[in-house]
Amino acid sequence: MDDRSRSLRSSSGASLRASVSSRTSLLKNDPSTSLRNSSILDRLDDGALQALSDDEEHNGSDIKLIISEIRRISSSSKLYGREKEKRNLESIWRKCCQLSRQELCIIRGEPGCGKSRLASSLRPLVHRDPKLPKRYAKAFFLSGKFSPPCYHTKIPFEVFSTALSSYVDQLLDSKNTELIAQCREKLLQEVRNGRDLLVAMVPAFGRLFDQSDLPKGREKTFTGSTQARMFGIEATNRLWDAFSNAISAICFYTPIVLHLDDIQWCGPSSLNLLRSLFVGSKNFPLMVIATSRSDSSEQSDVRQRSAILQPTTAMTGYTSQEFSKLLSDVENHHSVGVSQIYLLDLTLEDVKGLVADILRMRPHQVTDLARVVHEASKGNAFHMYQFLRLVAESNCIKRYSNYWIWDIAQVESTIKDESNSVSGMVVRTIQAMPRPVQEALKIACCMGSDVDISAVDQVLQTPSAPLLQYAADEGFLTFLPQYGGYRFAHDLIRQASFQLISEDDHDEFYLNIGRRLWRGCSPSALEENIMFVVAFMNVGAACVTEERERYKVAELNLRAGIKAFALPSLPDAISFLKKGREFLGVDAWAKRYNLCLDLYSYSAQVEAANGNSEIVEMCYREVDMNAVTLWDKLGVYRAKLKSMEQQGIAKQAVLFCTRVLRQLGLSIPTRASKVAVLRELLIVKWAIRGRTDHGILSLPLMTDSRKRACMDFLAAGSISCMRADPRMGMIYGCRAVLLSLKHGLNASSAFGFCMYAGVLNAFKKVKDAYRFGRLSIQIAEAANSPQSIVRVYLALGYGVLHSMKPIADSLEALENAKRVGWDSGLVESSIYAYMVCDMVQFCSGTKLSALEDSINKTMELRSYYRHPSSQSLFMLQMVKCCQGMEPDPTRLSGTFISFDDVESEQLVAQNKMLLLLMYGLALELAYLHGDFQHAERMAALCRETDERTRRSYFASLLPVLYVLCSIERYRQGFSRKENLKLVRKYRKLVARSAKDAPSNFSHHLFLVDAEIMSINAKHREDDTSALYMAAFYSAEEQDNIKIQALACEKYGDYLSKNGKSTEAEAQWNKSCLLWELWGGEVKSRELQQKTASNNIGRRRSSLHYDKPNMAAVESTDSTLFIESTGVEAQVLLIPNVSSSALSTTSIS
């Protein structure tokens, strides 16, 4: 806004205040005798009445006086018939400050009943609350108003931008330098990397932050910036995080009341932003007052109930289903207070008091007039004001000297004629104004509830302040000192002004506004207000016939769409880009090639982020058919690849990515056979020979744009490869390493080396895998790319480190992925890291109670960011089944998932990773609960799915389950030869894993070998017992309670089979204790039933055992297990159970 418009606003405000003061002074001479009721009419003669009716000037002053009094009453802090509701609002505000928690208050009622007035009545208390806790320096009242879609000029997050701009103004105007410094420091601390998005959404924050506070890139990095460049869902998540953190930082020193008027018109983007304030984990003193209209059916139902309901239990009837969903989510969040206030119609007594104050009379003196007005308005405050104005304009009420007089019959007749058309009455009043004032109101109503004087000046091409002041004098606009401008006094007045625009001229009227704003703006002003200007021109799209102008408007829509996408506001970006495509002609590609290319490429990216695959496919075909060069097609190729990943067609995505890489000149085999993988591995091994880590890190930066594009597609396509074709992912990783070695490093090189480490791990080259895993972290950190760092840590924690290092190292890598992801705003990657961390903890035998808490936290994050939660649901379902919370705990199905339904969905989606997780969890659950037939079926499905995906910790443990399940089927006499073959095959894999990472797999190997020895006809009982003991103590060292319990149970089974009932009883009782400690209540009960069926009494209450000191000393032919009990030590020499012997255990 320029200086001229600011001065106009200031002068308008001053003249407004002077006008009101001069008019009200007329009534201050003698309040007790200046006004009289209608009984004076009987004492006036006919001549006096005729003289009064003929005095037009006097009548005009009467109308202005009544209008002035109505404005005085409507702007005062006094409420009529709303005292109870106001006290309720004040108590909610005090509770918000005392408890330092969020409060959401919904005020509902019909238009004109005083919802906004009630909410605004809290402003004086907030600004000067004597009971404000001393820990807060000040409190602020902020407000914003949503506009209905009929005005077509919605700007993304405009309401929040207006409200927070008011906060910055009030904070800076306070002149409290200490408070300003504290708030600024807290904002910088909380918002972190979201400052750029926050300033883009609320430019006023730029006045609070210094330029040095905004994030800048570092020198000599591969990406050139420390800030993660994100679009789509990642950028949206980052905006939610930045917005909620900013509000919590503001409320840390200064509690906030945020009044959101007409919430029923709130769009999806703003609702999600509002949702982020309530469903997060933080608590802060924020009170949101949302006013919403209710239809007449709801109002009639409300009349039969109490005026105030708190807390609310049912949230229905809103125009927006999304808003109802928001309220449901907030209600489920127990740390947030939710209440509703229903405003009923004013009673006759309330109307008496209101009319008496307007006429400065006593209530009993206006009984007849108040009755007529109440009957006509039905207790609606706005309607009542209009009827009072009507009777004044109709000469039904007049002031004679110091007397007010009226003819009640004439009042009834006048009001009766207009009682069914209040809006029409307002329209006629506006039409009676001078033509320039009408034009100013018509333009202003199209721009919003808050009038931008400079924009109206631009369209009218003349100063509009006098015209707006005239409308304010008539009571149609209200001057707001805190904003320095005008606002429509009521929505119905704005709607009446909008009705002055005829339907035939509607589109042309909007187009002319847009044209004048576009041509009158400077380039910088146009860039700042591009979405506002383009919104007007899009309404009048049908009136744009000139080809040159159509292409220009299409270009403006492209710029508006790019800006909306960067905010981010996907719905608005989609709308602008769609409109831009509609402005293109049939032969647009030939006439405006670059414009068409940019429109379709950006449309594909935006629609891919929004998950609209049909539009992405349309844009892809359009660009693929008309674009000249491959380089022009890459943008839409990336969007199509992302869209295919979202659809779950991972196999087709891999084929598409491979085809694109071939077009870029990278020869990738179409079929990823084992021979092809070995060939790629040998080529990389030859290329990397003799190179040190320092030498690789010293490679130059990759400058070839074609090779950089190849690296980007290799990194992007690897996600689909991990789901559908892991061998092709290995080839992608090898090719990324080769490109980096030959052409230099870039941000994607880190993930390439990490993929290569995964390839080495799959081929059991664990030392080399660990080396290149560390190298990938160093490359990612040198590249200063948060995306690469998070992806590398995820890949290492999920699929590499467990093969050589303790499982704690994997968890540490995943924690780093969480930390870097949150700090950089990569919410999706952070949530995935939480999920993988839960899986690793489950595999390592963590207590189910702790695991459930961790999964619930992951689920809360997923719910907060609207992220699909299939993996977490599987884990939670597994926990509930083990805890006995499901009716059929032996199958992975129940409250959270239906196994068969989800299996069908994932088979269609070709998501092998999720299928493997499903089958693996179902296999373990069936084995633990003795359903070995179902376990065999799940094991077969796991082997079929896991054929080429054995890299993760979870997949590395599957051979253990395969061996145990095959042994049980062998004992039952089913396919003995086939089961022995499976035992031999997968026992080798377990032994290899135990050799590389003994801390992670030795207890599993001991258990497997103990089970194998138990079915060996030539086994020795001491050897078998020693192996069970080794499994127990090794699992105890790793805090794996699940394996401890399983080892004790299987050892008890073995002892019972050999006739040692007492020893078996002790082991089963110990197992019961451990299963309960782990959280497996179902398993514990099953074991108790097992002991009872074998007539073995339980003596759990008298059983105590201490953790012994155990050491294993390996030699070439034996292993010493030393048990220390007190002072004495017993040494058991177990021949033929050494490391070498364990790897060659025979099975007869």
Side-chain angles (χ1 to χ4, degrees):
M1 187 184 301
D2 54 17
D3 295 334
R4 179 174 61 84
S5 61
R6 286 198 184 95
S7 63
L8 285 173
R9 290 190 178 195
S10 300
S11 62
S12 301
S15 60
L16 173 64
R17 288 188 291 270
S19 175
V20 173
S21 176
S22 63
R23 293 185 191 121
T24 55
S25 63
L26 296 175
L27 303 175
K28 293 180 180 178
N29 296 328
D30 188 1
S32 62
T33 59
S34 59
L35 300 175
R36 297 288 186 267
N37 65 1
S38 58
S39 61
I40 300 296
L41 185 64
D42 299 333
R43 288 178 282 172
L44 294 176
D45 55 17
D46 295 338
L49 291 175
Q50 184 65 33
L52 181 60
S53 63
D54 292 340
D55 191 357
E56 296 182 1
E57 181 179 357
H58 186 83
N59 181 54
S61 64
D62 289 347
I63 298 173
K64 291 182 179 180
L65 186 58
I66 287 183
I67 294 174
S68 175
E69 287 300 302
I70 291 175
R71 288 172 56 192
R72 177 183 65 82
I73 293 298
S74 61
S75 60
S76 67
S77 59
K78 184 178 180 179
L79 295 178
Y80 296 87
R82 308 295 186 210
E83 292 79 9
K84 185 178 180 181
E85 290 87 345
K86 184 178 180 181
R87 289 195 300 271
N88 190 30
L89 275 182
E90 292 175 353
S91 66
I92 296 172
W93 162 245
R94 296 268 166 73
K95 185 192 303 181
C96 172
C97 294
Q98 294 293 337
L99 300 180
S100 293
R101 74 171 192 181
Q102 298 95 313
E103 292 283 346
L104 175 61
C105 180
I106 314 295
I107 303 178
R108 303 180 63 188
E110 291 183 342
C113 68
K115 302 182 296 295
S116 303
R117 176 81 185 284
L118 174 62
S120 300
S121 67
L122 197 60
R123 183 191 299 270
L125 175 65
V126 171
H127 286 167
R128 298 178 181 82
D129 188 357
K131 296 184 180 180
L132 186 70
K134 294 182 179 179
R135 60 180 178 273
Y136 301 121
K138 194 176 177 63
F140 292 109
F141 187 98
L142 314 178
S143 64
K145 187 178 181 66
F146 293 99
S147 295
C150 63
Y151 298 114
H152 311 291
T153 53
K154 279 191 173 182
I155 306 301
F157 314 123
E158 180 183 19
V159 171
F160 296 107
S161 178
T162 301
L164 292 177
S165 298
S166 172
Y167 162 76
V168 175
D169 293 337
Q170 295 179 56
L171 180 64
L172 296 179
D173 291 344
S174 67
K175 307 300 182 182
N176 189 335
T177 56
E178 181 180 359
L179 177 61
I180 294 173
Q182 289 175 339
C183 292
R184 175 179 171 275
E185 187 66 28
K186 189 66 177 178
L187 272 170
L188 294 175
Q189 176 186 348
E190 292 291 333
V191 178
R192 299 189 304 274
N193 288 330
R195 276 168 267 166
D196 56 336
L197 282 177
L198 194 62
V199 173
M201 186 182 75
V202 187
F205 275 119
R207 293 189 287 136
L208 196 60
F209 297 145
D210 296 334
Q211 289 300 319
S212 59
D213 296 330
L214 300 179
K216 295 181 180 179
R218 298 179 185 175
E219 297 179 356
K220 297 182 180 180
T221 63
F222 303 156
T223 60
S225 175
T226 60
Q227 179 59 45
R229 188 170 183 266
M230 290 169 286
F231 295 104
I233 189 64
E234 282 286 15
T236 301
N237 290 338
R238 199 175 122 219
L239 177 64
W240 295 353
D241 200 35
F243 181 73
S244 61
N245 286 338
I247 298 297
S248 66
I250 289 172
C251 295
F252 187 81
Y253 294 106
T254 56
I256 295 294
V257 173
L258 179 59
H259 172 210
L260 300 177
D261 203 3
D262 282 337
I263 194 72
Q264 73 274 1
W265 306 125
C266 182
S269 298
S270 296
L271 273 178
N272 287 330
L273 208 60
L274 181 62
R275 180 177 177 273
S276 68
L277 300 177
F278 293 104
V279 297
S281 58
K282 294 183 178 180
N283 286 331
F284 43 88
L286 169 70
M287 179 179 177
V288 175
I289 304 176
T291 60
S292 175
R293 296 183 182 181
S294 59
D295 56 32
S296 57
S297 61
E298 291 175 332
Q299 181 73 3
S300 61
D301 179 60
V302 169
R303 293 175 200 274
Q304 308 301 323
R305 295 180 287 173
S306 172
I308 300 177
L309 302 179
Q310 182 183 5
T312 178
T313 56
M315 298 286 189
T316 57
Y318 283 90
T319 304
S320 171
Q321 294 181 354
E322 286 290 328
F323 186 52
S324 299
K325 178 64 169 60
L326 165 68
L327 293 176
S328 177
D329 292 344
V330 174
E331 277 193 312
N332 294 332
H333 204 277
H334 301 294
S335 62
V336 177
V338 183
S339 58
Q340 277 197 97
I341 296 178
Y342 295 88
L343 294 190
L344 307 180
D345 298 333
L346 296 179
T347 64
L348 178 59
E349 293 301 319
D350 299 330
V351 175
K352 279 185 184 180
L354 185 54
V355 174
D357 284 349
I358 291 176
L359 300 181
R360 293 184 179 266
M361 303 174 69
R362 294 182 177 86
H364 70 274
Q365 296 175 316
V366 296
T367 301
D368 53 351
L369 180 61
R371 176 184 54 78
V372 174
V373 172
H374 178 264
E375 291 176 356
S377 65
K378 299 179 181 179
N380 188 289
F382 177 78
H383 292 182
M384 187 186 64
Y385 291 146
Q386 301 308 311
F387 285 130
L388 286 176
R389 178 175 182 143
L390 173 66
V391 297
E393 291 176 345
S394 302
N395 296 332
C396 297
I397 182 171
K398 304 170 187 178
R399 183 167 58 93
Y400 180 74
S401 182
N402 289 330
Y403 299 98
W404 282 104
I405 57 176
W406 58 83
D407 185 344
I408 195 63
Q410 187 180 1
V411 170
E412 288 181 338
S413 176
T414 302
I415 290 181
K416 184 177 181 181
D417 295 338
E418 299 288 349
S419 60
N420 295 325
S421 180
V422 176
S423 60
M425 185 168 57
V426 178
V427 170
R428 286 191 294 274
T429 305
I430 297 176
Q431 289 175 336
M433 295 181 182
R435 186 71 177 176
V437 177
Q438 295 182 45
E439 291 298 319
L441 288 177
K442 286 162 61 177
I443 294 170
C445 76
C446 296
M447 294 183 174
S449 297
D450 295 328
V451 181
D452 188 340
I453 300 179
S454 61
V456 179
D457 291 348
Q458 191 85 26
V459 177
L460 285 176
Q461 298 179 349
T462 185
S464 61
L467 306 177
L468 298 176
Q469 181 60 47
Y470 184 96
D473 292 342
E474 294 295 322
F476 290 95
L477 297 177
T478 302
F479 183 76
L480 303 176
Q482 64 270 26
Y483 297 114
Y486 295 95
R487 173 180 288 178
F488 279 93
H490 198 275
D491 282 343
L492 295 177
I493 295 176
R494 185 184 176 192
Q495 294 173 16
S497 302
F498 189 73
Q499 292 178 24
L500 297 178
I501 307 172
S502 65
E503 293 185 6
D504 296 336
D505 298 335
H506 175 268
D507 293 351
E508 186 72 27
F509 188 82
Y510 267 83
L511 179 61
N512 288 331
I513 293 177
R515 282 171 174 167
R516 291 187 179 181
L517 291 174
W518 165 36
R519 293 167 181 167
C521 286
S522 63
S524 59
L526 179 61
E527 186 62 31
E528 182 179 351
N529 301 284
I530 184 71
M531 291 184 286
F532 181 71
V533 174
V534 173
F536 282 99
M537 305 193 74
N538 286 342
V539 177
C543 302
V544 182
T545 56
E546 185 184 352
E547 183 182 58
R548 182 180 177 182
E549 186 178 16
R550 291 186 68 85
Y551 285 134
K552 190 61 181 177
V553 177
E555 181 182 347
L556 292 174
N557 272 283
L558 172 63
R559 293 165 60 184
I562 294 174
K563 184 171 183 178
F565 191 37
L567 269 177
S569 177
L570 290 182
D572 296 286
I574 291 171
S575 177
F576 285 125
L577 293 172
K578 179 182 178 182
K579 210 67 178 177
R581 297 196 305 271
E582 293 175 357
F583 276 104
L584 298 176
V586 179
D587 54 348
W589 281 97
K591 295 182 178 180
R592 299 295 297 272
Y593 175 83
N594 291 332
L595 175 60
C596 293
L597 178 64
D598 291 342
L599 267 173
Y600 282 103
S601 297
Y602 273 103
S603 296
Q605 294 181 43
V606 174
E607 296 291 356
N610 194 46
N612 194 337
S613 57
E614 295 180 359
I615 303 298
V616 175
E617 183 66 23
M618 181 273 295
C619 294
Y620 161 73
R621 295 184 181 278
E622 189 76 18
V623 173
D624 195 44
M625 181 174 59
N626 294 287
V628 176
T629 65
L630 174 63
W631 196 256
D632 291 341
K633 300 177 182 180
L634 290 182
V636 75
Y637 283 173
R638 292 188 182 94
K640 181 173 174 61
L641 179 60
K642 182 176 182 179
S643 177
M644 296 174 78
E645 291 172 356
Q646 291 175 341
Q647 295 177 67
I649 47 177
K651 193 171 183 179
Q652 291 88 326
V654 173
L655 294 175
F656 176 76
C657 187
T658 301
R659 182 170 68 84
V660 174
L661 289 169
R662 282 174 165 267
Q663 293 181 26
L664 287 169
L666 196 63
S667 179
I668 299 285
T670 55
R671 184 173 177 272
S673 63
K674 190 172 183 178
V675 175
V677 174
L678 288 172
R679 178 179 176 274
E680 295 290 334
L681 189 61
L682 290 174
I683 293 174
V684 175
K685 189 174 181 180
W686 180 260
I688 213 167
R689 74 191 189 286
R691 292 180 183 264
T692 64
D693 293 355
H694 178 73
I696 295 175
L697 290 171
S698 301
L699 288 171
L701 301 183
M702 186 178 291
T703 57
D704 189 331
S705 58
R706 185 175 288 266
K707 302 305 178 185
R708 288 204 305 266
C710 288
M711 293 291 291
D712 292 342
F713 274 95
L714 286 171
S718 62
I719 299 175
S720 296
C721 291
M722 292 173 64
R723 296 178 178 175
D725 196 348
R727 285 181 181 170
M728 185 61 78
M730 295 177 181
I731 294 177
Y732 277 22
C734 292
R735 288 303 178 90
V737 172
L738 288 174
L739 284 175
S740 300
L741 294 175
K742 187 175 181 179
H743 299 281
L745 300 175
N746 78 338
S748 299
S749 299
F751 195 67
F753 277 92
C754 186
M755 290 286 290
Y756 178 63
V759 176
L760 295 172
N761 182 48
F763 283 93
K764 298 303 177 182
K765 304 292 183 181
V766 292
K767 291 185 178 180
D768 291 337
Y770 183 64
R771 173 201 169 190
F772 288 104
R774 289 188 308 172
L775 184 63
S776 64
I777 293 178
Q778 294 174 344
I779 294 174
E781 291 176 346
N784 200 22
S785 170
Q787 292 97 330
S788 297
I789 295 174
V790 172
R791 293 182 70 181
V792 166
Y793 274 124
L794 264 173
L796 292 178
Y798 178 69
V800 176
L801 293 178
H802 70 275
S803 299
M804 186 175 182
K805 294 292 181 178
I807 203 64
D809 288 15
S810 295
L811 293 174
E812 182 181 358
L814 294 172
E815 289 295 332
N816 288 333
K818 295 181 193 177
R819 175 181 52 80
V820 176
W822 285 122
D823 291 344
S824 306
L826 297 166
V827 177
E828 296 286 305
S829 300
S830 298
I831 293 177
Y832 188 74
Y834 271 97
M835 186 274 296
V836 175
C837 192
D838 294 340
M839 185 189 304
V840 172
Q841 289 178 346
F842 175 78
C843 294
S844 59
T846 302
K847 290 183 180 180
L848 292 183
S849 58
L851 182 61
E852 184 180 10
D853 293 339
S854 180
I855 295 174
N856 286 331
K857 182 177 181 181
T858 306
M859 295 284 288
E860 287 180 7
L861 292 173
R862 288 174 177 269
S863 175
Y864 177 73
Y865 291 105
R866 304 287 182 92
H867 189 281
S869 55
S870 300
Q871 296 93 330
S872 296
L873 285 175
F874 285 128
M875 300 293 297
L876 191 59
Q877 186 66 64
M878 178 72 177
V879 170
K880 294 299 182 182
C881 288
C882 292
Q883 292 175 338
M885 305 298 290
E886 298 293 348
D888 185 12
T890 61
R891 301 294 177 95
L892 188 64
S893 188
T895 306
F896 299 99
I897 62 168
S898 172
F899 184 86
D900 295 335
D901 294 343
V902 179
E903 181 187 20
S904 302
E905 295 175 3
Q906 298 307 319
L907 284 172
V908 173
Q910 303 172 353
N911 191 340
K912 288 193 174 183
M913 290 181 63
L914 194 54
L915 283 170
L916 182 62
L917 175 64
M918 286 178 54
Y919 295 147
L921 292 176
L923 166 60
E924 182 168 356
L925 195 63
Y927 174 78
L928 291 178
H929 295 295
D931 191 351
F932 300 117
Q933 184 177 358
H934 184 63
E936 184 180 26
R937 175 177 173 267
M938 291 296 104
L941 291 172
C942 279
R943 287 193 291 271
E944 180 183 344
T945 308
D946 185 37
E947 182 182 357
R948 297 182 293 176
T949 60
R950 194 178 299 109
R951 288 185 300 171
S952 68
Y953 183 44
F954 179 77
S956 299
L957 291 176
L958 286 177
V960 178
L961 291 172
Y962 298 158
V963 173
L964 296 177
C965 182
S966 297
I967 290 175
E968 291 296 338
R969 296 297 285 174
Y970 175 88
R971 286 174 176 155
Q972 294 176 353
F974 295 102
S975 305
R976 289 200 166 196
K977 185 176 180 180
E978 182 65 26
N979 281 308
L980 287 178
K981 184 178 178 180
L982 291 174
V983 168
R984 292 189 185 98
K985 176 182 177 180
Y986 290 107
R987 192 266 175 198
K988 292 179 181 179
L989 297 179
V990 178
R992 191 181 302 173
S993 298
K995 181 179 178 181
D996 295 330
S999 61
N1000 299 335
F1001 298 98
S1002 61
H1003 43 291
H1004 297 94
L1005 179 61
F1006 286 136
L1007 179 60
V1008 164
D1009 283 340
E1011 286 288 277
I1012 292 174
M1013 291 283 283
S1014 69
I1015 63 173
N1016 190 340
K1018 298 180 181 180
H1019 77 282
R1020 293 194 307 176
E1021 185 176 336
D1022 292 342
D1023 297 347
T1024 306
S1025 299
L1027 286 170
Y1028 280 121
M1029 291 166 57
F1032 175 83
Y1033 293 133
S1034 179
E1036 189 177 34
E1037 288 183 353
Q1038 302 302 321
D1039 292 328
N1040 194 324
I1041 305 175
K1042 180 173 61 175
I1043 297 300
Q1044 287 180 262
L1046 187 60
C1048 289
E1049 179 186 354
K1050 293 301 178 182
Y1051 188 28
D1053 293 345
Y1054 172 75
L1055 293 173
S1056 177
K1057 181 180 178 182
N1058 291 335
K1060 297 184 177 182
S1061 301
T1062 304
E1063 292 86 346
E1065 175 191 359
Q1067 293 300 323
W1068 279 333
N1069 287 331
K1070 186 188 298 184
S1071 181
C1072 282
L1073 284 173
L1074 290 168
W1075 282 124
E1076 290 185 4
L1077 181 63
W1078 181 60
E1081 298 293 336
V1082 176
K1083 187 63 181 175
S1084 179
R1085 290 196 297 267
E1086 290 176 355
L1087 199 55
Q1088 293 172 25
Q1089 295 174 1
K1090 185 177 183 179
T1091 59
S1093 64
N1094 285 275
N1095 296 320
I1096 299 177
R1098 294 179 66 239
R1099 295 192 299 272
R1100 293 174 53 195
S1101 59
S1102 61
L1103 177 64
H1104 299 280
Y1105 68 97
D1106 298 323
K1107 178 179 179 179
N1109 296 323
M1110 190 273 290
V1113 181
E1114 295 188 2
S1115 62
T1116 57
D1117 59 351
S1118 64
T1119 299
L1120 288 175
F1121 289 91
I1122 304 174
E1123 286 186 57
S1124 297
T1125 307
V1127 179
E1128 301 178 355
Q1130 180 183 9
V1131 179
L1132 302 175
L1133 179 61
I1134 307 173
N1136 300 325
V1137 197
S1138 63
S1139 297
S1140 58
L1142 287 176
S1143 62
T1144 57
T1145 304
S1146 60
I1147 305 174
S1148 60

